[in-house]
Amino acid sequence: MKANYKFSNICGTVYRQGNILFTSDGNSLLSPVGNRVSVFDLVNNKSFTFAFENRKNIAAIALSPDSNVLVSVDQDGRALLVNFRRGVVLHHFNFKKPVKDIKFSPDGRYIAVTHASHVQVWKTPNHLVREFAPFTLHRTYTGHHDEVLSIQWSPDSKCFLTTSRDMTARLFTLDPLEGFRPKTFAGHKDAVLAAYFSADGTSIYTVSRDGAVFTWKEKESEMNSDNDEPIPSTSSENSLGNRIANTRWGVHKRNYFNQPNTKVVCTTFHPASNLLIVGFSTGIFGLWEMPAFSNIHTLSISQEKISSVAINPSGEWLAFGAKKLGQLLVWEWQSESYVLKQQGHYYDMNTLSYAPDGQTIATGGDDGKVKVWSTHSGFCFVTFSEHSAPISAVSFAKHGSVLFSASLDGTVRAYDLIRYRNFRTFTSPSPVQFSCLAVDPSGEVVAAGSTDSFEVFLWSVQTGKLLDVLAGHEGPVCSLAFSPSGANQLVSGSWDKTVRIWSVFGRSRAVEPLSLTSDVLALAFRPDGNELAVSTLDGQVTFFNIQESKQTNVIDGRKDISGGRKADDRVSAANSSSGKAFNSLAYTADGGCLIAGGNSKYVVLYDVREGEGVMVKKFQISENLSLDGTEEFLDSRNVNDAGINTDLLDMRGDESDLEDRMDLSLPGASRGAGDMSIRRYRQEARTKCVRFSPTGRAWAAASTEGLLIFSLDDSVTFDPFDLSIDLTPQSVLEVLAAREYLKALVMAFRLNEKPLIQRVYEAIPSGDIRLVTRQLPFLYVPLLLRFVAEHLESTPHLEFDLVWINTLLMSHGRVLKDKSGEYASVFRVVQKALSDSEQSISKLCDDNSSALTYYIDQSRRAHNTDVEMLTA
């Protein structure tokens, strides 16, 4: 099995902090997600996350006007220069101070960066040339007396406006201009958040935090004395820059938003349509047309303050990010409708489950919500909020579109994923908290284990009635699993150091306990149902043969899973006992490998074929230093003179906004996960649940950062089977030209280059398909099946692909059936492709039949009308 899984997407989180921005074509939206950047394609309804990571959470991002270069800056001022189109990091750079705003000039030649009370302008590095030191400082601009908050370039890139906490805005020129002194725009009574140029450069608008908007224009009284001598200019652009720089600016008009008990948090301006968009701390945003300051509309879109706002270049879509709730919204203001509305889990994500087709993932969080995500688009398309307490487990039924969830509120709920409704609610005779869930392979019975009464409850999905209560455990039941082979066995693991195998549907109702050395944390069945893997608190994974009830293998994973050192740990990471056990286990589709995750930054993949238990690969879920537990050794630079770690100090009192400084928590009150009543709350890097996709091409982890998806990327990797010197793409094409189709196909698969395989595959005549498939060596049959399934999803050659699948299954069906466990992932990919094409064809046929029925009815009606007119 391949282990070259690469990070591909984050689903569970859409926005964390920092600024959001549109690409130059206005079709995609960039959003910082922790220390990564996600891109949402609003036209094609897809999203992906770049694989690169900043050292800490991202504070600001900027994209060049030609969309070639992306700069992402973290909280400490460390920046990454990224080739945006390829997602490749070109250079690392340290600005050495926290960055509030970073902007590319409209011509793309310069980058302006805030640097405490100064502004630095750097020359944009060339993204096509590898340089040792690509960042070159152009100039440093001084004059502000407090932290600079924003930068805005003029349309011709000759000058720029800066705003600061010192309640002023300043106008600087890029290059020294004779007789020019930086202009100061004063008069506001609070920090100036942003300043903007009008499209023609004759007006400047400044917006302050207390809700004042000042319009600045040229002073008329002293215009003649200042402009006695004409300014020489060689082009219209130079004349615009010089005109802005040499104008004597004065306040033309003062306007106020008059929103009670609120502050302006973020703002943006669209010069082409003179639209000013403002987000307030109460979750309200408004649109004002300048310079008349006429309110177009005001709308409340969130319960919390809007952290960032952006407008696309055409001025049609507004994007909003709300930091506290993790919301990302795109609003089309003219039609007053949402283009995108996404929100992650408010607190931690506890559990996840793949649908049988691998197309969707269900997640449950501490906020009591169950969300269903599409793996193809990365978007959440339905949220169930019926539970009133944290979700502990979710699971799909093996057949049918049914999702089950268990919660600490004492209920197990079943959801219909066709009508999106909660159609069953299962409860116990006395209130208990459910910690785990299992659904039998037929989907008829659901079981849940409790933490209070140490019992396992079984319900009928059809009737909703309680079928049985299984007692015997002496500690909380933490994990449940039905045998996937349909052997009517239920396995439960508990903190009482035992695993019990229940024959739930047999007459004997036998119970077989298996004793372990430590508390059981998680268990998983191998897909064939013959082996059981059990994770315990001492960091071991124990394997049992179910038929013989004997132990077959043990993996000691304490050193494999042991993570980093937390900020408040008194001992080093190597000696710490916390986070050295697996909380979640999952087998691959073929049962050859086991993936395991726990309260650390690592997820480990083991090869468990034939009792080996060898670690194949260790994946690190995050390198974000803003999270606790990502460093092996604590940074001594964060320890002050008193010997106290500054990461543990509560800095809330130093926040600039009153809402952030106030501590509204009740003394002694604790809210479980994400408790803000403690002195300092830092999220830890950990994995609460890992699951493999049924297709075997991806696996997902519910982590602190969100729902991380790692997948195999075959289009980039070069993975030849059996190479020889004379096996080249040219020789393959020569064999194909000679019409030796079987030989060409085998040679293409040996090279394993997808474009070449596709070219050979599509060149084979349909009449030769049966002959080629019969003579094809079985080694290449699963590879060809997988390729045809992927080809079916992406190309219009429907009948051609269906003939290939039919002949492959008819010719090699017996061998494939005998090795069904080994090739289960291939079958699922084929099933998914066939079901997708069936749905699209049936929808097309339904649409066509409806249209034809309508045309026939209309023609009959017209015919009847003509007959009536003739008879009349």
Side-chain angles (χ1 to χ4, degrees):
M1 181 195 151
K2 295 178 185 176
N4 57 328
Y5 290 91
K6 297 283 195 308
F7 172 81
S8 67
N9 204 357
I10 290 183
C11 280
T13 316
V14 289
Y15 173 75
R16 276 279 167 85
Q17 73 291 307
N19 64 308
I20 54 178
L21 54 89
F22 281 96
T23 52
S24 53
D25 60 2
N27 295 334
S28 298
L29 179 69
L30 276 67
S31 171
V33 180
N35 65 335
R36 290 185 168 101
V37 177
S38 289
V39 180
F40 298 91
D41 188 341
L42 302 174
V43 175
N44 299 317
N45 195 37
K46 285 185 180 179
S47 71
F48 69 92
T49 305
F50 285 116
F52 67 83
E53 290 186 73
N54 282 71
R55 282 168 57 93
K56 286 193 174 181
N57 287 335
I58 293 172
I61 56 175
L63 185 66
S64 62
D66 57 2
S67 297
N68 281 329
V69 178
L70 172 70
V71 179
S72 65
V73 190
D74 69 11
Q75 294 166 343
D76 292 342
R78 295 178 183 270
L80 294 180
L81 183 75
V82 181
N83 184 325
F84 178 71
R85 301 190 188 280
R86 297 289 299 162
V88 178
V89 176
L90 302 176
H91 193 68
H92 298 253
F93 190 75
N94 188 1
F95 287 117
K96 295 188 171 66
K97 285 190 179 179
V99 172
K100 286 288 182 185
D101 196 15
I102 178 168
K103 289 276 173 65
F104 278 89
S105 61
D107 60 8
R109 294 172 58 197
Y110 295 95
I111 307 172
V113 184
T114 65
H115 195 257
S117 60
H118 301 165
V119 175
Q120 293 180 340
V121 174
W122 300 77
K123 292 179 181 176
T124 303
N126 190 338
H127 69 285
L128 299 175
V129 179
R130 296 290 287 175
E131 297 173 284
F132 177 71
F135 278 87
T136 307
L137 183 64
H138 176 66
R139 272 182 76 191
T140 300
Y141 302 83
T142 62
H144 284 293
H145 305 295
D146 205 342
E147 195 175 32
V148 179
L149 297 179
S150 75
I151 301 168
Q152 187 68 35
W153 287 88
S154 64
D156 61 351
S157 305
K158 295 295 182 187
C159 50
F160 57 89
L161 283 164
T162 61
T163 65
S164 169
R165 287 195 195 280
D166 63 7
M167 299 183 285
T168 64
R170 281 179 174 258
L171 176 66
F172 297 98
T173 57
L174 178 66
D175 297 307
L177 200 65
E178 190 178 350
F180 173 79
R181 285 186 1 196
K183 304 284 196 300
T184 302
F185 300 82
H188 284 283
K189 297 180 180 178
D190 205 340
V192 183
L193 292 181
Y196 304 103
F197 290 99
S198 62
D200 56 2
T202 59
S203 302
I204 289 176
Y205 308 108
T206 56
V207 184
S208 69
R209 209 170 57 132
D210 58 357
V213 180
F214 287 8
T215 303
W216 304 77
K217 285 185 180 289
E218 187 177 3
K219 286 184 180 178
E220 295 179 2
S221 57
E222 301 178 23
M223 186 175 62
N224 295 331
S225 61
D226 270 74
N227 293 337
D228 288 340
E229 298 180 7
I231 301 166
S233 64
T234 56
S235 67
S236 59
E237 286 191 1
N238 275 337
S239 64
L240 175 63
N242 289 342
R243 195 175 75 237
I244 292 173
N246 288 292
T247 299
R248 285 181 56 85
W249 297 97
V251 177
H252 175 71
K253 196 176 180 184
R254 292 180 175 88
N255 299 105
Y256 300 92
F257 294 119
N258 294 326
Q259 294 277 345
N261 302 321
T262 183
K263 296 276 188 185
V264 176
V265 179
C266 54
T267 171
T268 189
F269 183 70
H270 188 251
S273 54
N274 281 327
L275 274 181
L276 179 68
I277 301 98
V278 179
F280 295 97
S281 57
T282 51
I284 294 172
F285 85 91
L287 269 75
W288 280 266
E289 189 173 10
M290 304 302 289
F293 198 70
S294 55
N295 188 354
I296 296 174
H297 74 219
T298 308
L299 190 72
S300 175
I301 56 168
S302 178
Q303 287 80 40
E304 299 293 335
K305 71 177 181 182
I306 299 169
S307 309
S308 180
V309 60
I311 186 166
N312 73 335
S314 63
E316 298 168 339
W317 291 346
L318 311 176
F320 302 96
K323 177 180 175 181
K324 191 169 182 182
L325 294 177
Q327 286 179 321
L328 187 66
L329 312 166
V330 179
W331 173 261
E332 190 173 47
W333 64 273
Q334 288 167 328
S335 63
E336 299 191 8
S337 60
Y338 283 109
V339 177
L340 173 74
K341 189 177 184 182
Q342 291 286 305
Q343 180 179 348
H345 287 284
Y346 185 53
Y347 289 133
D348 277 0
M349 190 183 294
N350 285 337
T351 178
L352 73 99
S353 177
Y354 265 100
D357 60 356
Q359 285 288 295
T360 52
I361 302 177
T363 60
D366 275 341
D367 55 359
K369 292 179 180 175
V370 176
K371 289 179 176 283
V372 186
W373 307 82
S374 166
T375 56
H376 178 64
S377 68
F379 289 126
C380 170
F381 59 88
V382 64
T383 301
F384 299 108
S385 53
E386 281 82 4
H387 284 292
S388 57
I391 310 294
S392 53
V394 291
S395 180
F396 281 92
K398 296 291 182 290
H399 307 288
S401 301
V402 181
L403 172 66
F404 296 92
S405 65
S407 170
L408 299 183
D409 63 1
T411 63
V412 174
R413 295 178 184 269
Y415 302 98
D416 181 356
L417 291 181
I418 296 174
R419 297 180 182 85
Y420 298 139
R421 63 189 181 95
N422 174 208
F423 70 93
R424 284 278 185 276
T425 302
F426 310 100
T427 56
S428 55
S430 58
V432 294
Q433 291 184 320
F434 293 119
S435 58
C436 51
L437 179 71
V439 185
D440 83 320
S442 67
E444 296 287 327
V445 175
V446 60
S450 76
T451 56
D452 306 328
S453 62
F454 314 151
E455 294 168 331
V456 179
F457 298 86
L458 279 84
W459 295 274
S460 166
V461 177
Q462 293 287 339
T463 62
K465 291 182 180 178
L466 183 67
L467 298 177
D468 203 354
V469 179
L470 308 178
H473 280 296
E474 298 172 4
V477 181
C478 62
S479 190
L480 284 175
F482 275 98
S483 172
S485 62
N488 296 336
Q489 288 177 322
L490 173 67
V491 176
S492 61
S494 169
W495 291 1
D496 62 4
K497 304 181 183 179
T498 63
V499 168
R500 288 177 175 263
I501 305 172
W502 313 79
S503 297
V504 283
F505 305 125
R507 289 187 178 181
S508 63
R509 304 180 66 80
V511 182
E512 188 162 359
L514 305 172
S515 295
L516 290 113
T517 55
S518 187
D519 299 9
V520 176
L521 297 180
L523 51 85
F525 261 109
R526 201 168 66 187
D528 62 2
N530 294 329
E531 189 176 78
L532 180 72
V534 182
S535 165
T536 51
L537 190 59
D538 56 3
Q540 292 186 341
V541 180
T542 312
F543 297 87
F544 292 95
N545 186 317
I546 291 295
Q547 271 77 25
E548 300 173 8
S549 296
K550 71 174 186 180
Q551 182 178 325
T552 56
N553 192 16
V554 176
I555 297 173
D556 191 356
R558 285 174 62 83
K559 291 185 178 178
D560 300 336
I561 187 85
S562 77
R565 182 174 178 177
K566 298 179 179 61
D568 55 352
D569 279 354
R570 299 298 178 204
V571 294
S572 64
N575 298 325
S576 174
S577 61
S578 66
K580 289 195 175 181
F582 298 109
N583 290 343
S584 181
L585 300 174
Y587 273 96
T588 56
D590 59 357
C593 288
L594 181 80
I595 194 163
N599 286 340
S600 88
K601 59 180 177 177
Y602 292 116
V603 172
V604 190
L605 185 68
Y606 291 103
D607 186 348
V608 293
R609 289 173 297 183
E610 300 169 6
E612 288 183 4
V614 179
M615 185 177 75
V616 178
K617 197 165 184 182
K618 190 153 63 167
F619 302 93
Q620 185 167 342
I621 58 167
S622 179
E623 296 177 0
N624 190 355
L625 299 183
S626 298
L627 301 177
D628 226 356
T630 50
E631 288 181 289
E632 298 293 335
F633 304 98
L634 294 185
D635 194 346
S636 59
R637 291 172 294 183
N638 294 339
V639 179
N640 60 16
D641 296 338
I644 298 171
N645 192 337
T646 53
D647 288 338
L648 297 175
L649 296 177
D650 187 3
M651 307 298 287
R652 260 187 309 208
D654 297 339
E655 294 286 348
S656 57
D657 292 343
L658 177 64
E659 303 88 42
D660 296 332
R661 288 199 300 270
M662 291 172 65
D663 186 5
L664 302 175
S665 59
L666 294 174
S670 177
R671 295 185 298 176
D675 180 20
M676 302 299 286
S677 65
I678 57 179
R679 290 186 62 193
R680 179 68 188 263
Y681 169 65
R682 284 192 76 192
Q683 288 186 308
E684 297 176 8
R686 59 183 176 184
T687 308
K688 289 198 170 183
C689 186
V690 289
R691 290 289 181 267
F692 245 99
S693 167
T695 59
R697 311 295 293 171
W699 59 269
S703 74
T704 318
E705 295 274 75
L707 181 65
L708 305 180
I709 298 176
F710 288 73
S711 63
L712 291 172
D713 187 8
D714 285 345
S715 60
V716 179
T717 53
F718 177 67
D719 185 19
F721 273 98
D722 183 17
L723 283 181
S724 59
I725 295 175
D726 58 341
L727 183 59
T728 61
Q730 190 61 38
S731 63
V732 174
L733 295 177
E734 288 172 1
V735 171
L736 182 63
R739 297 189 177 184
E740 296 182 34
Y741 300 118
L742 178 64
K743 189 177 178 183
L745 190 63
V746 171
M747 288 172 71
F749 270 113
R750 280 166 64 186
L751 272 177
N752 203 19
E753 290 186 9
K754 204 168 184 178
L756 188 63
I757 296 172
Q758 183 166 343
R759 185 167 175 179
V760 173
Y761 169 78
E762 291 179 353
I764 298 174
S766 56
D768 292 355
I769 292 175
R770 190 181 297 275
L771 187 64
V772 170
T773 51
R774 281 182 179 173
Q775 296 178 349
L776 185 71
F778 184 76
L779 173 67
Y780 303 106
V781 170
L783 300 165
L784 182 57
L785 256 180
R786 187 185 290 278
F787 173 79
V788 176
E790 292 172 354
H791 191 265
L792 182 61
E793 288 185 332
S794 57
T795 60
H797 307 298
L798 182 65
E799 185 185 359
F800 186 68
D801 291 336
L802 291 176
V803 170
W804 268 104
I805 292 174
N806 185 28
T807 51
L808 279 169
L809 294 177
M810 291 293 286
S811 304
H812 303 277
R814 189 181 298 278
V815 188
L816 287 169
K817 187 177 181 182
D818 293 341
K819 298 184 178 182
S820 59
E822 188 177 345
Y823 301 121
S825 62
V826 180
F827 293 143
R828 290 196 182 95
V829 172
V830 174
Q831 182 190 4
K832 171 178 161 295
L834 291 173
S835 61
D836 286 353
S837 57
E838 182 197 3
Q839 287 175 7
S840 59
I841 292 170
S842 62
K843 185 176 183 298
L844 187 67
C845 292
D846 289 344
D847 293 346
N848 289 344
S849 59
S850 301
L852 287 171
T853 307
Y854 173 75
Y855 295 146
I856 292 168
D857 288 345
Q858 290 297 313
S859 65
R860 284 176 180 167
R861 186 177 176 186
H863 179 68
N864 293 336
T865 308
D866 294 342
V867 170
E868 288 174 5
M869 290 175 65
L870 288 170
T871 53

